[in-house]
Amino acid sequence: MNIRDLEYLIALADFKHFRKAADACNVSQPTLSGQIRKLEDELGTILLERTSRKVLFTQAGLMLVEQAKVILREVKVLKEMASNQGREMSGPLHIGIIPTLGPYLSPIILPHFKSLFPELELYIYELQTSTLVEQLESGQLDCGILAFDKDSQPFIEVPMFHEKMLLAVSNEHEWANEEIIPLSKLRDKEMLMLDNGHCLRTQTMDYCFSSGATENTHFKASSLETLRNMVAANVGIAFIPELAAHSGSSNDLTYLHFSEPEPYRAVGLIYRPGSPLRLRYERLAKEIKQLVEQRK
């Protein structure tokens, strides 16, 4: 048994699919399948129920997956301790970032980090919040950048900035000539929303409830870009985070600010409690905060 075998097992538990798990581990499907069988032979127990349609874990398999996650977390701590013996901002760093931030924040921070910390080897993964926190918990990620919510509370939260929520409307919309509107003006209006899985959906739903707006149930977007294109086509109106609104340009859209109190989301960096690389994460968060503030 080796660490790589445990990584294969956890990937299979995450994806419930041999090919997808193999792709995530950058190995062939036969390699992953063969290693899992060897692991079963070594342990003398069946870990999986293999069917033509899906992968089911036995009770012994489920117990081993949980223990494997604990082991990988400890291995991660050992690697972090070893890395911390050298220079603070050097070595590999695996960062998760949510999809409603990744396309707009990554182009700002990555060139800066590459220049400022040339010995820091960055790996960026765009993941929805639930997957991000799972991989951070299991040790697959070092830290994560997201909007704080209940899922981020078990980790150390390092605040970076508040991102305002703007209202996107088509240039043909009756409010297109407005600059600032009260949140209460959304009462009885239907809002276009992201689909389930995005933390931004939960946050904007809260603003909808507080303002008396409702969700347009006939359409759900899988990305902010789809949401913007639908608004530009004058299909509806939507909340758009400030970084996304300032990224790129659309001649068919108008972004409106809200009067006080303005809706926002708290964006920050999270990492595991007790990590030896605390100073590294705090430094990254500080740099990101300064970069965003300079662009405001």
Side-chain angles (χ1 to χ4, degrees):
M1 183 190 304
N2 56 51
I3 297 301
R4 194 61 174 152
D5 292 340
L6 299 183
E7 292 175 344
Y8 294 159
L9 190 68
I10 291 173
L12 197 54
D14 288 341
F15 292 98
K16 302 293 192 299
H17 192 282
F18 275 98
R19 181 183 58 77
K20 292 179 181 178
D23 289 344
C25 294
N26 295 314
V27 296
S28 68
Q29 182 175 329
T31 296
L32 185 140
S33 180
Q35 289 302 114
I36 295 296
R37 286 191 182 277
K38 287 182 181 179
L39 185 59
E40 289 179 318
D41 292 341
E42 182 178 348
L43 296 173
T45 187
I46 301 299
L47 303 176
L48 306 173
E49 296 179 19
R50 295 168 175 85
T51 70
S52 59
R53 292 188 176 182
K54 56 184 176 181
V55 175
L56 297 175
F57 277 77
T58 63
Q59 187 61 35
L62 291 173
M63 292 175 63
L64 185 58
V65 167
E66 291 307 310
Q67 190 60 37
K69 290 180 178 179
V70 173
I71 293 171
L72 289 185
R73 282 199 298 271
E74 294 303 316
V75 169
K76 192 71 174 179
V77 170
L78 286 175
K79 289 181 178 179
E80 288 177 350
M81 291 176 68
S83 176
N84 206 33
Q85 297 303 311
R87 282 167 286 186
E88 178 186 326
M89 304 306 289
S90 64
L93 185 64
H94 299 262
I95 305 175
I97 186 168
I98 57 175
T100 55
L101 279 170
Y104 319 107
L105 190 59
S106 295
I108 298 173
I109 64 176
L110 289 183
H112 178 75
F113 287 160
K114 187 176 181 179
S115 173
L116 189 61
F117 310 122
E119 296 185 16
L120 193 61
E121 191 177 351
L122 291 175
Y123 298 88
I124 306 296
Y125 307 89
E126 194 171 287
L127 305 165
Q128 291 191 351
T129 300
S130 59
T131 304
L132 188 156
V133 297
E134 286 174 6
Q135 292 194 11
L136 183 58
E137 175 67 24
S138 68
Q140 294 168 266
L141 294 175
D142 296 305
C143 60
I145 298 173
L146 42 57
F148 292 153
D149 65 4
K150 60 181 179 61
D151 291 329
S152 63
Q153 291 175 0
F155 302 94
I156 303 299
E157 297 178 330
V158 187
M160 295 192 301
F161 58 91
H162 283 177
E163 184 179 25
K164 295 178 182 178
M165 303 300 297
L166 308 182
L167 183 69
V169 302
S170 163
N171 288 346
E172 300 176 18
H173 194 274
E174 59 181 312
W175 296 344
N177 293 323
E178 303 280 350
E179 293 185 3
I180 300 176
I181 65 170
L183 194 61
S184 60
K185 199 166 184 176
L186 297 181
R187 179 174 296 278
D188 298 327
K189 300 294 183 181
E190 282 195 344
M191 306 289 295
L192 297 176
M193 306 286 286
L194 291 171
D195 58 16
N196 294 326
H198 292 277
C199 61
L200 183 60
R201 171 183 170 82
T202 303
Q203 293 152 357
T204 52
M205 284 293 288
D206 290 340
Y207 290 125
C208 285
F209 290 143
S210 65
S211 65
T214 59
E215 177 186 5
N216 184 329
T217 58
H218 295 280
F219 174 80
K220 287 184 176 67
S222 60
S223 70
L224 284 178
E225 295 312 300
T226 302
L227 204 59
R228 287 207 284 198
N229 288 334
M230 294 300 289
V231 173
N234 204 26
V235 174
I237 59 178
F239 287 106
I240 298 292
E242 192 173 21
L243 282 175
H246 292 167
S247 175
S249 61
S250 175
N251 296 327
D252 301 318
L253 281 178
T254 296
Y255 293 104
L256 310 180
H257 286 260
F258 291 98
S259 55
E260 295 289 348
E262 290 184 274
Y264 69 89
R265 60 177 178 172
V267 175
L269 182 146
I270 61 173
Y271 61 90
R272 289 181 298 278
S275 172
L277 298 182
R278 176 181 63 84
L279 294 179
R280 178 180 295 187
Y281 306 140
E282 299 279 349
R283 178 70 186 278
L284 288 176
K286 179 180 178 181
E287 292 294 333
I288 294 172
K289 179 180 179 180
Q290 291 177 347
L291 283 172
V292 173
E293 288 178 347
Q294 288 171 7
R295 297 176 67 90
K296 289 185 177 181

